[in-house]
């Protein structure tokens, strides 16, 4: 009996004897890499995450991650793809002939059996082919201003602004145009005439703001015309001038007669 107790005591004191903590260590080992370090959560980034390109243009997207040993990467998009370049922890994808107004591009990276992704938004736009402001026409007491913006896309994100001498006199958003095709837009505005307006320069501006990327096109300046005299106005002006001349002549004649009456006889 004494010998049996001694054997059991030696087994308990042996470092190779399995204890409860060893099972936890074995479970933890399954989450470690072969080098003994566990894989932390990794991130995936795509750059740029937003890009506006001219209609039919192309761009490069860079997909990167913090994974030390990526097992693979992929890109999911309906846009036309071109070349692909790669390096440590990154892959660059070329997208060609972008014509869709708005497209989501998804980049995926797999690391240690886990797949994560990031998304970029690609937008296409068309700068106006021309912005033309017709010569203003004065009808009654209003100037008619007509601005033509040609071949724009997408129309609903444009704002057309009229300026007189550098100051905004009218601005209108074209958000009511919901089509996604190339279009021509004509804006007509009646500007009440004021003293001093004649000879002032007026310009038309088309502005597109895509998440901070601004596209601006402007017309050549035109000059507000001098108001034309109507026949009635001309007759009234002539009558007024004739009346003034007659008054001056009468006053002159009275002064001369008074002067002569005050002279002594010769």
């Amino acid at each position: 009996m004494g010998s049996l107790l001694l054997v059991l005591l030696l087994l308990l004191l042996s470092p190779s004897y399995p204890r409860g903590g060893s099972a936890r260590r074995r479970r933890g080992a399954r989450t470690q890499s072969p080098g003994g370090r566990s894989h932390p959560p990794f991130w995936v980034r795509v750059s740029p995450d937003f890009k506006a390109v001219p209609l039919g243009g192309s761009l490069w997207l860079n997909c990167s991650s913090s994974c030390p040993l990526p097992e693979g990467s992929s890109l999911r998009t309906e846009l036309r793809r071109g070349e692909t370049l790669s390096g440590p922890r990154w892959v660059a994808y070329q997208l060609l002939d972008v014509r869709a107004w708005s497209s989501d591009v998804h980049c995926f990276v797999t690391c240690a059996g886990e797949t994560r992704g990031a998304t970029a938004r690609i937008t296409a736009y068309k700068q106006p082919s021309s912005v033309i402001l017709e010569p203003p026409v004065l009808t009654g007491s209003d100037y008619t201003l007509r601005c033509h913006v040609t071949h724009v896309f997408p129309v609903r994100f444009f704002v057309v602004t009229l300026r007189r001498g550098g100051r905004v006199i009218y601005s209108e958003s074209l958000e009511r145009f919901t089509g996604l095709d190339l279009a021509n837009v004509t804006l007509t505005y009646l500007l009440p005439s004021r003293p001093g307006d004649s000879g002032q320069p007026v310009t038309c501006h088309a502005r597109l703001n895509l998440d901070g990327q601004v596209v601006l096109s402007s017309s050549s300046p035109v000059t507000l015309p001098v108001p034309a005299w109507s026949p009635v106005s001309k007759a009234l002006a002539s009558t007024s001038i004739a009346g003034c001349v007659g008054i001056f002549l009468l006053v002159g004649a009275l002064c001369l007669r008074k002067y002569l009456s005050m002279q002594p006889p010769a």
Side-chain angles (χ1 to χ4, degrees):
M1 179 64 71
S3 300
L4 180 60
L5 291 175
L6 180 61
V7 171
L8 291 175
L9 180 61
L10 290 175
L11 287 175
L12 290 173
L13 294 176
S14 174
S16 61
Y17 184 80
R19 294 172 174 84
S22 63
R24 289 191 295 270
R25 286 196 295 270
R26 287 195 297 272
R27 287 195 296 269
R30 287 197 292 268
T31 65
Q32 293 178 346
S33 64
R37 292 178 301 175
S38 61
H39 285 294
F42 71 99
W43 50 257
V44 177
R45 294 174 184 168
V46 59
S47 177
D49 58 1
F50 173 82
K51 183 67 175 178
V53 297
L55 191 66
S58 61
L59 73 153
W60 284 88
L61 284 182
N62 183 70
C63 184
S64 60
S65 73
S66 61
C67 179
L69 294 173
E71 298 173 8
S73 63
S74 61
L75 194 74
R76 188 175 69 197
T77 177
E78 295 181 356
L79 299 176
R80 178 184 168 191
R81 292 176 53 174
E83 299 180 21
T84 301
L85 302 176
S86 62
R89 303 185 186 182
W90 63 267
V91 180
Y93 302 94
Q94 186 183 30
L95 301 178
L96 304 173
D97 194 26
V98 180
R99 295 186 174 275
W101 149 239
S102 182
S103 300
D104 286 337
V105 181
H106 307 278
C107 167
F108 298 98
V109 174
T110 300
C111 180
E114 181 182 358
T115 300
R116 296 189 178 188
T119 301
R121 174 68 57 86
I122 308 301
T123 294
Y125 69 91
K126 173 64 172 64
Q127 188 170 1
S129 298
S130 62
V131 179
I132 302 173
L133 182 60
E134 293 184 3
V137 177
L138 182 60
T139 304
S141 59
D142 295 327
Y143 292 103
T144 300
L145 303 176
R146 186 169 286 112
C147 179
H148 303 281
V149 182
T150 63
H151 292 90
V152 295
F153 167 85
V155 179
R156 67 177 183 221
F157 290 93
F158 275 87
V159 176
V160 179
T161 302
L162 296 172
R163 294 178 178 268
R164 176 184 56 200
R167 299 184 61 181
V168 175
I169 56 177
Y170 182 72
S171 183
E172 181 177 339
S173 171
L174 304 182
E175 58 186 2
R176 66 180 184 275
F177 297 96
T178 58
L180 293 178
D181 299 319
L182 285 172
N184 301 323
V185 178
T186 298
L187 177 68
T188 302
Y189 177 67
L190 296 180
L191 173 65
S193 62
R194 303 183 309 175
D197 277 349
S198 58
Q200 289 285 324
V202 179
T203 52
C204 180
H205 307 267
R207 183 175 185 269
L208 174 65
N209 190 340
L210 296 171
D211 282 1
Q213 181 170 338
V214 178
V215 179
L216 180 64
S217 301
S218 304
S219 71
S220 300
V222 297
T223 303
L224 294 175
V226 177
W229 290 88
S230 64
V232 175
S233 299
K234 291 181 180 179
L236 291 175
S238 300
T239 302
S240 300
I241 293 174
C244 290
V245 171
I247 292 174
F248 287 138
L249 290 176
L250 179 59
V251 171
L254 293 175
C255 291
L256 179 60
R257 182 177 178 182
K258 182 176 183 181
Y259 174 77
L260 293 176
S261 65
M262 295 175 62
Q263 296 298 318

